[in-house]
Amino acid sequence: MNEYKDSLIDKIENVPTEKLIEPKISLIGPALEASKYYIEEKELREMFANLVANSINSEKTNFVHHAFVEIIKQLSPLDANNLELFDGFSTLPIVQIQYVTPGGSLMLNDNVFLGSDTTLTNVDENSTSITNLSRLGLVNIDYSNHVNLDYSLFTNSKIFQDYKERFFSTSLSHEHNQSPVHDDYLDIRKGKVRISPLGSSFIKACVSQLN
C-alpha cells in the first residue's frame, strides 16, 4: 500500500503545474476504488497509478478512457508485460503450429506468441495472454499477412522440436520438418499482432511510464 501511495504521489508531482486539470470523478473514483485490490501486483498497480496521474494531465487526457479501469481489472501481470512490448513496436510476430497431412491439417498450438519469453517455455501462458489482449481490443491478430522478421525462433523452439520428436522420431528429415516416408510435415502459419487504436491509447495512458 505504501509503495502504491508513493508511486502515485510521485507520478502526480511529476505533472507540470501548468498542465494540471481537475480530474473527472467518474474516472478517478472507480480507478482508485479498483486499484486497492491490485496493490500486490506491481505491473497492475503501476497501471492504475499512471491512469490516475494522466487523468489530471492536460497533455494526456486525450488518451485516457473510462473503459481503461475495467480493462486493467481484466489483465494479468503477464498481460501487462506483453502489452508493454508494443510500446516500442507496433507489430510483432505470431504463429500457429500445424501438423499437415495430404488430407488436411491439425492445429497443434494457436496464437503462439514470443512475448518477452524468447525461449517459448511458457507457450500456453503467452497464448492465453495475447488472446486476452485481443479479446479486450488492445491488439489485432492477423494470419492473412505477416511481418518481415525472422520466424526461426518459432521453428527452433523447444515446443516445435518436441513435436518433431513426437510425430516423426528419428526418421524425420530435420531440414524440412518432414517425414521421408510420408507427406506429413510440421509447419508454422505466420501471422502478426498489431496494436489497435484503443491499445495505443491505453499504452500512452497506462503503460508507457511503467518502471
Side-chain angles (χ1 to χ4, degrees):
M1 179 68 77
N2 288 332
E3 289 178 358
Y4 175 61
K5 182 180 69 174
D6 292 343
S7 176
L8 185 57
I9 291 173
D10 182 61
K11 293 177 186 298
I12 291 174
E13 289 180 344
N14 283 333
V15 178
T17 304
E18 66 276 12
K19 303 296 183 182
L20 284 172
I21 60 173
E22 191 73 21
K24 293 182 179 179
I25 297 299
S26 58
L27 186 145
I28 199 170
L32 289 172
E33 173 64 22
S35 64
K36 66 184 181 184
Y37 298 107
Y38 298 86
I39 59 174
E40 292 183 354
E41 298 170 320
K42 179 182 177 181
E43 296 86 351
L44 303 184
R45 74 168 185 255
E46 286 292 292
M47 282 186 171
F48 277 116
N50 285 331
L51 179 60
V52 170
N54 288 330
S55 70
I56 62 174
N57 185 341
S58 62
E59 285 190 334
K60 292 293 189 78
T61 52
N62 287 340
F63 305 117
V64 174
H65 195 283
H66 287 66
F68 291 167
V69 175
E70 291 301 317
I71 288 177
I72 297 174
K73 289 166 61 177
Q74 297 180 66
L75 296 178
S76 71
L78 178 59
D79 295 341
N81 288 331
N82 282 334
L83 189 60
E84 191 177 3
L85 297 174
F86 291 91
D87 193 19
F89 301 92
S90 62
T91 308
L92 292 171
I94 195 170
V95 303
Q96 296 171 327
I97 300 179
Q98 301 175 328
Y99 177 62
V100 184
T101 71
S105 61
L106 172 66
M107 178 78 71
L108 300 177
N109 286 91
D110 192 15
N111 292 345
V112 180
F113 180 67
L114 286 175
S116 56
D117 172 27
T118 57
T119 60
L120 277 178
T121 55
N122 298 308
V123 173
D124 291 338
E125 291 89 342
N126 265 325
S127 176
T128 299
S129 174
I130 200 67
T131 303
N132 187 47
L133 294 180
S134 174
R135 178 187 70 86
L136 293 170
L138 300 176
V139 301
N140 296 316
I141 299 174
D142 178 17
Y143 286 103
S144 66
N145 209 335
H146 62 272
V147 294
N148 187 25
L149 292 173
D150 184 8
Y151 282 75
S152 64
L153 278 173
F154 294 99
T155 54
N156 292 332
S157 65
K158 183 179 185 302
I159 186 173
F160 196 84
Q161 300 303 316
D162 286 347
Y163 279 133
K164 287 163 64 174
E165 292 296 324
R166 180 192 304 180
F167 288 106
F168 303 121
S169 188
T170 57
S171 67
L172 177 68
S173 170
H174 288 274
E175 181 179 356
H176 299 98
N177 305 317
Q178 184 173 6
S179 168
V181 179
H182 307 287
D183 292 328
D184 305 351
Y185 63 95
L186 286 174
D187 191 23
I188 59 169
R189 183 183 180 190
K190 298 178 181 179
K192 64 182 181 180
V193 188
R194 180 182 293 276
I195 194 72
S196 71
L198 179 67
S200 181
S201 292
F202 184 87
I203 286 175
K204 291 181 176 71
C206 308
V207 178
S208 59
Q209 295 181 25
L210 285 179
N211 51 52

